[in-house]
Amino acid sequence: METTFKIPPSIKIETFPSYEALSQAVAGRVAAQIKAKPDSVLGLPTGNTPLGTYKELSLLSKPEAKENFVDWSKARCFALDDYIDVDERFSFHAFLVDKIYRHTNLSGSQSFYPGLTDDYDHLIEETGGLDLTLLGIGNNGHIAFNEPGTCPASWTHCTWLDESTRQANKAAFEGNTPPTRAVTMGLATILSSRKIILIVSGEKKKTILEKALCQPVSRDVPASLLQMHQRVEVLTDFAVSCAV
Ligand code: GLP
C-alpha cells in the first residue's frame, strides 16, 4: 500500500523569488520580533545562507533606517555553535561579530557563545529562553552542528564533524585544515525555541530540505526534527513540494 506523508500544518513554507527577497523577508521578521519584544532572546546561525539577512539587518540597525531602525540594546543573542580548537579568525564568534553584531548597538555582554560558557542551556533558560532561532541546513541535513545520528534529546554538547561538513565548510579556512570538532546547541535546545525560522537558499539544498520535511522524522536527518515543533517557518528561494 502506498503511503503519502504530508508536511505538518505547524510548518509554514514561504517561497521568495530571489535570495535578496528571501533575506529581506527574514530580516523583516527578526526586526519585527525585536520591535515587539525589545529584550528578545535570539539564536543565530553562521554559514553563507544568513549573510543576506545579516546585511539587511545591518542596514536596519543604522540610524538612517529612521522609523525602521532596529534597536538591539536590550536583545540577547546566542550563537548556535562554534568550532573547537580553531584559529579565532575562523571562529563563528568572529563571524557573528563581523557580519552582524558590530553593525548594531548590541553590547558585547549581550552576545553569548557555546564555547565560552559552561552551561549554555542554563544560561539560555535564565535569560527567559529563546524567542526566535534562525537556522540554516547542512547538505546532510544537519542543523547547527547536530550531525546525522545526533540524539533528539540532546542539549548543548561537543561533537565530531562529518567529513562532508568539513569539506562543505573548507573554503572558509583559506587553505588551512578545517577543524574536526565543534560545540553546538543540541536538538532539544533548538526545539525549545518559541519560534524557528529555517532559511534555505539554492536548489542544491532542495533534496535534503524535502527529505527533512516530506519524510517521517528520523535522526538520520536532524532537520526533520523540526516537524515536531509547533511554530516553524521555512523560507526558501526555490519551490518546495512533497509530491510522491
Ligand atoms: C554549518 C553551520 C550551520 C549552517 C550550515 C549550512 O556548518 N554549523 O549552522 O546552517 O553549515 O551552511 P551554509 O549556509 O553555508 O550552507
Side-chain angles (χ1 to χ4, degrees), residues 45-50 80-81 83 92 135-138 142-145 165 169 205:
T46 56
N48 292 314
T49 309
L80 294 187
D81 50 8
Y83 294 111
F92 288 168
L135 295 175
I137 184 172
H142 71 235
I143 46 176
F145 270 138
T165 301
N169 293 357
K205 296 276 179 81

Side-chain angles (χ1 to χ4, degrees), residues 154-219:
S154 53
W155 298 96
T156 302
H157 61 282
C158 296
T159 187
W160 294 97
L161 297 173
D162 272 16
E163 191 48 35
S164 66
T165 301
R166 297 180 67 226
Q167 291 310 315
N169 293 357
K170 200 172 152 190
F173 290 91
E174 300 169 1
N176 296 283
T177 309
T180 51
R181 302 198 71 210
V183 54
T184 181
M185 283 187 190
L187 292 167
T189 316
I190 291 169
L191 292 179
S192 76
S193 182
R194 291 179 193 95
K195 275 181 276 172
I196 293 175
I197 296 178
L198 176 65
I199 322 166
V200 195
S201 172
E203 293 272 342
K204 65 180 189 303
K205 296 276 179 81
K206 187 177 166 76
T207 308
I208 191 64
L209 178 65
E210 291 180 349
K211 209 168 172 186
L213 300 180
C214 305
Q215 294 186 10
V217 174
S218 158
R219 66 168 73 191

Side-chain angles (χ1 to χ4, degrees), residues 221-242:
V221 183
S224 70
L225 267 291
L226 297 174
Q227 293 181 32
M228 298 171 68
H229 193 275
Q230 289 313 300
R231 280 186 84 181
V232 178
E233 292 178 7
V234 179
L235 273 52
T236 70
D237 54 10
F238 56 86
V240 181
S241 90
C242 284

